[in-house]
Every structure is written in structure tokens, then in C-alpha cells.
Amino acid sequence: MPTYKWANKQQTIIGSERKHYYTHEKRLTKNSRLTFFDRKDHFQIILSTRKRIEIQTYEIVSSFESGKQKFHVQLMNLEQFSNNKHIKIGAVNDKYYQFGLIQLGTMFSIYYQRPSLYPNKWLDRLLAISELRYLTLHSVYVDDIAFIYKYRQRIEYAQRINAPALAKQIIERKLDMRSITMNWLKRNKVFFRNSQRTYQAYQVKQALESLGTKYIAGVEAFMGADDVQKMPKGVKPITFQNYLMKQQRTIGFYQDYIDMLNEIGIPITPMKRLPKDLKRAHDKAVDTLNAMKREIVRKEFAKRANEESFLEMTIKEVQFILPREANDLIEEGKRLKHCVGGSSYIDQHAEGRTTIVFARKTAEPDKPYYTIEYRDSRLIQVSGWDNKKPDEHLREVVNHWLQIVNERIKRKEKKYVA
């Protein structure tokens, strides 16, 4: 905690002779306030013996009386771990304590989450002499101590049978400890011993065995317990497990491949069901599907250009042109440095959810000039190089184009109604 120093030419008042990290220096005047409440902080210290671990939390209040700093220290919370019990005690007031910890400050307080921790090399001592000394722990936070103490025997057992991955999952609180009992650990000792198998591997094994098939060690890296039901029909589960492991691909990757074959309309023959090179077959299916989609988009672009040719015209020195294919939008976006070439605009134009029109100078019809987005009889945007806005002259031309287009659409709608 900091302290204060008041001084003038005749007198100096130092709040405390203790060694402080910082001293506030103020000018001493007859109006100087020398008696006041300063601040309140919380600090923790962790202590260990062979049979007990304690986390003590203190509240320290700093105040000044006639310029002299005074400290009031009180034990606010005490956590004790001993004889397989976790006892929690909190201060009711200066004299009385009750079971249960008290909240320190408000949720907006700087110390609400964690008070400052006294640097007494507590972790070294905790791991060297306390009841946690038989565990291999690389790091421990204060909030972890209660959990690790409670489940120390299960962590120790997992480490003793050389199942580090399982022990790590327990330490990191990734498992439901209602399932990971000592009896469960002993029953499954053979499965986890001398391995990096996780609890998820056990779940995959259980799911496979529930179908009456064998678990192949290592398959959990490529499928979870919920994926067991997704294995393809007509393929032996053992064969499929070995296939995923040989291909080094997840069942999700495999299912994506099968879904694409179905979308493309390719019959799933035995050779197609388990291709020799799954990645190559998957990539080929991606290329085929993309080509199909590009062809669909190309036809939609061409259809719109034919059916909506009334959008094309020349006004003064500006020519208005519809794109004929997706590549036209991609090229427009590249050359004008804006996003009209993105897949979103391509899909929206192809599906008729928006309309993209190119504005070109009549003297340079092949050179991108401005790009127009038109929807629901309105101009959504008019963008040039690097999203540049049109000047007043071009804005007048585009607004004239908009007026003509909307009139043509109304005439078409009246004709259709008639």
C-alpha cells in the first residue's frame, strides 16, 4: 500500500516509516486534510503442512489520523483442507465468524475475482510436503486447489497407471466426476494403462461395443461416440474404423464426401463408398460440384441478361450493361477494387435477389467504370474505383436511367396484368 508525505518549508509529516512501494507527496498547508479513510485491499496467503492446506484471505484497511497511517488487519475468509474435508469460514464482523465464505467487495471491485497473492513460494511447498505431494502438477491456480484436493486420489491413480491424458482431463475439470469414480478407474485400468487414451476414447469403445463390434485403438481421433451411428451401411464397422485411420480423415470429412456424391447424383458403388484415396476423391467431388454450380449460375446470368435486356441502354456518354456470367462480376470487382466479385453478390444476382448493372463510358465499353446495384425499384449503391462515389454529372445520368427502368417495369407489369 502507498503512503503519504506532506511538507512545507517549516514542517514535514510522513504517514508511515514502513517501506512503501509508492509515496504520495503533497504540499502541507493549514487546510491539508490529515485524518481520512484511505483504502481497503484484500490479500491471500497459502500455507501448507503435511496434513493441512490453508488459504487465508485478509482485509487490510488503511486510514490516516493526524497524518499518521494506521492499518486494521482482519482475517476475512479461511479455507482449510485436511482429513478429506474442505472447511470454509468467513467473517461476519470484527468478532464473529460463520461457516461459508463471504464475498469480498462488489462485483465491480478490482479484488472481486482474486485478491493479491503473497509470494511465499506456496506452490513449491504445496507440491513438496502437502497431501498433494504425490501428484504431478505443472501449475496450480488458487481456484484449482479445492477441486484437486477433493479428487487427488483419482488423479494420483490415473497418473500411477501412466494414463496422463485422462489425468490431465480430470485436473482441467473436463469430465463429470460423478462418472469417474475410483471403482470406474479400477474397472477400466487395463484400457487406460500406459496410454494417452482420453475419456472420449472410452466412450467410443462403449458405443462400438454396444453395436456388437470391436473397438480399434486410436479411432477416437477420427470419430466420437455420437458418430458411431453415422457409420455407412454395408461396411463392416471394423473395416470402416481401419479405413478412417488409414486415410487419416474424420468421419465428418467422409460424410461430406458422401453428401457431395448424393448432391451431384453419382451412384455410390462399393468403389465410390470407400475410395483408395479419400482426399483425392473428396477434392474431385468438390470440383465437380463447383463446376455444376458454376454452370447453373452461368445459365441464370444468361437468362437474366436475355429477359431483362430492357435494363440496358445508352444515356449521353454512359452505357448500361448487364453481366453475362459470374466471371464478369469477378473481373469487375478486381479491376475496380470493390466487393461485387464476391460469392454473395454472384449468388444474389443469379437468384434475382438483387441486380448488378455495369456503367461504362461509351468510348471504353470494355473498361469498368462504375458498378450499380439495383433492387426493388431503388438504387442500392453506385460504386467506382475503391468504392468511390459518382460525381454530380454521373449521378444525374444514373438517376435518369433509374427513371426509365422503373417506367419500363411498370409498363411490363400493366401488360402482364392485362
Side-chain angles (χ1 to χ4, degrees), residues 169-186:
Q169 285 188 304
I170 297 174
I171 293 168
E172 293 178 351
R173 309 190 200 192
K174 293 182 177 179
L175 305 179
D176 184 348
M177 296 308 294
R178 292 172 296 182
S179 302
I180 314 300
T181 63
M182 283 299 297
N183 287 335
W184 181 88
L185 286 167
K186 290 173 181 177

Side-chain angles (χ1 to χ4, degrees), residues 166 169 175 179-180 184 192 197-204:
L166 180 64
Q169 285 188 304
L175 305 179
S179 302
I180 314 300
W184 181 88
F192 287 103
R197 289 176 183 158
T198 62
Y199 183 72
Q200 285 67 39
Y202 166 80
Q203 290 179 306
V204 172

Side-chain angles (χ1 to χ4, degrees), residues 3 18 33 45 60 109-110 155 187 197 215 230 241 262 274 279 325 331 334 370 395-396 399:
T3 191
R18 296 173 71 253
R33 188 166 63 103
I45 184 169
I60 302 180
S109 170
I110 190 172
I155 298 169
R187 283 198 309 271
R197 289 176 183 158
Y215 156 81
K230 301 175 185 177
Q241 290 179 70
N262 288 327
L274 297 180
K279 184 178 185 306
E325 58 183 48
E331 189 64 22
K334 282 183 180 177
Y370 272 82
R395 194 180 300 115
E396 289 179 1
N399 285 334

Side-chain angles (χ1 to χ4, degrees), residues 18-29:
R18 296 173 71 253
K19 183 178 180 182
H20 287 263
Y21 177 75
Y22 180 75
T23 299
H24 297 284
E25 296 192 5
K26 291 181 173 290
R27 177 173 173 76
L28 179 62
T29 69

